[in-house]
Amino acid sequence: MTATAGGDLAIVGARLRTNTDADSDATAILVRDGRIAMIGDDETILAAAAAAAAADAAASDAGIEVRDVAGATVTPGLFDSHTHPHWAADVTAGIDLGGLGTIAELRAAIAAEHARLPEGAWLRGWNLEYEAFEHGDEGPGAGEPAGLRGDLLEDAAPGRPVALICYDLHTALGTAPALAAAGITGPRDFDDASEIVVDASGIPTGELREPTAYNLLFDAAPKPSHDEERDALRDMFRRLAAAGLTGGAIMDGKDRTVELLAELEQRGELDHRVTVHHWHAVGDTDDDVARVIAAKDRCGRLWQTGAIKLFSDGVIDTGTAWLHEPDTCGDGRSAFWPSWERFGDVVRAYHDAGMLIATHAVGDYAVSRVLDVYASLPARDGLPFHSIEHLEVLSDADVDQLRAVASSGAGVAGVTASMQPLHMQWRAADHSDSWAMRLGEGRDETGYRVRDVLDAGVTLVLGSDWPVAQCDPRLGMAWARGRHTPGDASAHVFEPSQRLTGEEALLAYTLWPARARGHADRGVLAPGAVADLTVWGADPVSVSPDELPEVPIRLTVVDGRVVHEG
């Protein structure tokens, strides 16, 4: 029995977007024990709330809380289909390096933090962008590619371990003191495509590609206490609630994540409804798979396990995405798994155990190969489709393959496309960004094809990949609808034919994620549905994409409890 219990609440004076065919004249909702009990007009709901309170001896003193939202719009609670809140609570503890486009700017930020920190403390930073290392700032070779090297930053924090992570969470950078503390002295062999980058002499440059390599660095850094880690995760969920999010899919789950969720719920401090995808590493053994399967039914009132996250490739910026054709640097033709047959065996084991699988696939060839594996799986009655995460670039043939899988009566007979158009914020209109330069002219125009995926009959869900990009779903929806920087009338529109409508963007954060995960009682405003609600200061469907990020979040309600009030 958990300490967290569903709340009782009445909301009146609202405009409802129910995601159903229900009466559009309804203006009020009654919630009992965390579920929607009734939808109707204000008078009906107020009377029902009064009657319910009178009949409930435990509630007779306080009654049922009534919130008059004065014309605000209520939607089902927003769900981020790809997020890393536990990881973000740790990663974002350092300095935010986003927007620093030169090595000189990075050195200045690191020097300022160095001056603030006590002696012996590690200096952590996040949101590091690759573009700063695309050219030299000063000295011999200025203007030439600098490369991702720790020695370029060392003198900004003399003698102090400096550990930075790039915005995409696929590459990290450490200075010599940090590498020494982590015991990183040269190249190593990894089970996956992770890499300790070294120079011609075999000396580490400081660049560490993919988690298996860079976790060596971060594992050597000081760790927060148990209470600090738990409270940081609690506060992270409250930060997400302030943006209107009521839940999300945690894509880097581990045993520790589950333990903290259970503890937070027992303490009555869990304000988010989450599904934990256990992160399966390439080096995990059959015994590891069996252990995860054995724990697949662990759950609480607001959290559940039973889901898996795997990687098929890396990212375009570092040449580790798996592409049909090599990128402009000759990279992009390697899978994350040394044995693709092993990938298929692992997927089949989790599939047969009834678990939900999400596979990271950024490159077009990675998407195609993962689809091949999914299509070979036997049907599972009553269980939802597996997902592919990101699908950043797709050829026409890949879209056709998605359509075929979505409409097939064989195998799993479907797939969910989990995409993040918000990541287009790092693209440049003149194709000068590292992502576009890696892909080459024309290929970058195959990016983030959300409209084509939706029109192919594939279930589409949206998310942020927080802390890779901002966690705010209003920004995510604005980018999906406008495909340009919100609020900037002069901003370049990337592939305008791929824009979503306002209703589609909202559905991709509400109803469609619920359907993709097999939940009939989520993503809608209807009697019997869980009372996860987002209350907006204006209708998120009818306002323009440019206006959407500034729409106030009046209330965020999880399980019938108000967890944020704006």
Side-chain angles (χ1 to χ4, degrees), residues 133-472:
F133 299 88
E134 293 295 324
H135 56 83
D137 283 336
E138 55 191 41
E144 295 298 318
L148 205 61
R149 302 199 329 258
D151 62 353
L152 296 170
L153 307 174
E154 263 176 42
D155 60 354
R160 185 185 298 280
V162 177
L164 313 176
I165 193 162
C166 292
Y167 72 91
D168 59 7
L169 304 185
H170 280 264
T171 303
L173 182 64
T175 60
L179 296 178
I184 299 173
T185 59
R188 299 188 193 183
D189 292 329
F190 296 103
D191 292 322
D192 55 29
S194 297
E195 179 183 4
I196 297 172
V197 178
V198 298
D199 62 20
S201 302
I203 305 300
T205 66
E207 180 181 359
L208 305 167
R209 295 179 178 173
E210 302 300 337
T212 310
Y214 70 60
N215 280 339
L216 298 172
L217 180 70
F218 292 111
D219 285 347
K223 298 291 187 292
S225 69
H226 170 85
D227 288 356
E228 288 171 337
E229 184 183 15
R230 181 200 64 223
D231 292 350
L233 182 58
R234 176 201 64 197
D235 294 345
M236 180 59 63
F237 287 139
R238 291 174 180 175
R239 176 177 179 177
L240 300 179
L245 286 165
T246 63
I250 297 179
M251 286 291 169
D252 59 325
K254 42 191 176 287
D255 293 343
R256 182 68 175 156
T257 309
V258 174
E259 292 164 4
L260 290 174
L261 290 173
E263 183 176 353
L264 284 173
E265 189 165 68
Q266 182 61 39
R267 291 167 60 92
E269 296 178 343
L270 182 58
D271 298 332
H272 218 56
R273 192 182 301 274
V274 296
T275 297
V276 180
H277 285 251
H278 180 88
W279 189 334
H280 178 102
V282 171
D284 285 353
T285 66
D286 289 344
D287 287 343
D288 293 321
V289 172
R291 178 181 60 81
V292 172
I293 290 173
K296 69 182 178 66
D297 295 324
R298 290 191 66 186
C299 64
R301 183 179 177 101
L302 294 179
W303 59 273
Q304 63 185 93
T305 56
I308 295 295
K309 167 69 178 303
L310 304 100
F311 282 80
S312 68
D313 68 347
V315 291
I316 288 165
D317 297 81
T318 62
T320 54
W322 202 9
L323 304 169
H324 284 296
E325 301 293 338
D327 64 23
T328 57
C329 297
D331 297 323
R333 290 298 297 144
S334 297
F336 196 67
W337 291 66
S339 169
W340 193 244
E341 181 180 0
R342 172 63 179 170
F343 174 85
D345 290 343
V346 168
V347 168
R348 178 62 187 268
Y350 287 129
H351 175 84
D352 288 349
M355 302 185 75
L356 185 65
I357 299 167
T359 304
H360 167 117
V362 164
D364 44 17
Y365 191 57
V367 172
S368 179
R369 294 302 304 272
V370 173
L371 283 172
D372 286 341
V373 173
Y374 283 1
S376 71
L377 299 171
R380 305 187 308 182
D381 292 339
L383 291 172
F385 304 146
H386 301 311
S387 71
I388 297 180
E389 306 294 315
H390 306 306
L391 306 94
E392 282 191 14
V393 287
L394 294 170
S395 70
D396 289 345
D398 302 320
V399 175
D400 289 341
Q401 188 177 4
L402 282 162
R403 179 181 292 107
V405 172
S407 62
S408 171
V412 293
V415 65
T416 297
S418 175
M419 303 179 72
Q420 300 84 35
L422 174 62
H423 292 193
M424 289 188 290
Q425 65 184 282
W426 295 294
R427 295 175 65 180
D430 63 359
H431 312 281
S432 62
D433 57 282
S434 61
W435 185 86
M437 291 175 66
R438 274 279 188 173
L439 288 171
E441 186 176 357
R443 288 178 74 184
D444 59 334
E445 296 177 359
T446 67
Y448 306 95
R449 297 176 67 172
V450 288
R451 165 57 56 199
D452 289 341
V453 167
L454 189 59
D455 289 349
V458 176
T459 299
L460 173 70
V461 298
L462 298 178
S464 65
D465 205 9
W466 166 249
V468 171
Q470 301 94 322
C471 58
D472 196 325

Side-chain angles (χ1 to χ4, degrees), residues 96-128:
D96 185 353
L97 302 171
L100 302 183
T102 67
I103 293 170
E105 291 174 336
L106 290 171
R107 279 200 288 253
I110 290 170
E113 183 73 353
H114 172 67
R116 187 190 69 81
L117 289 172
E119 184 177 353
W122 281 55
L123 192 156
R124 298 279 298 272
W126 64 289
N127 219 4
L128 180 67

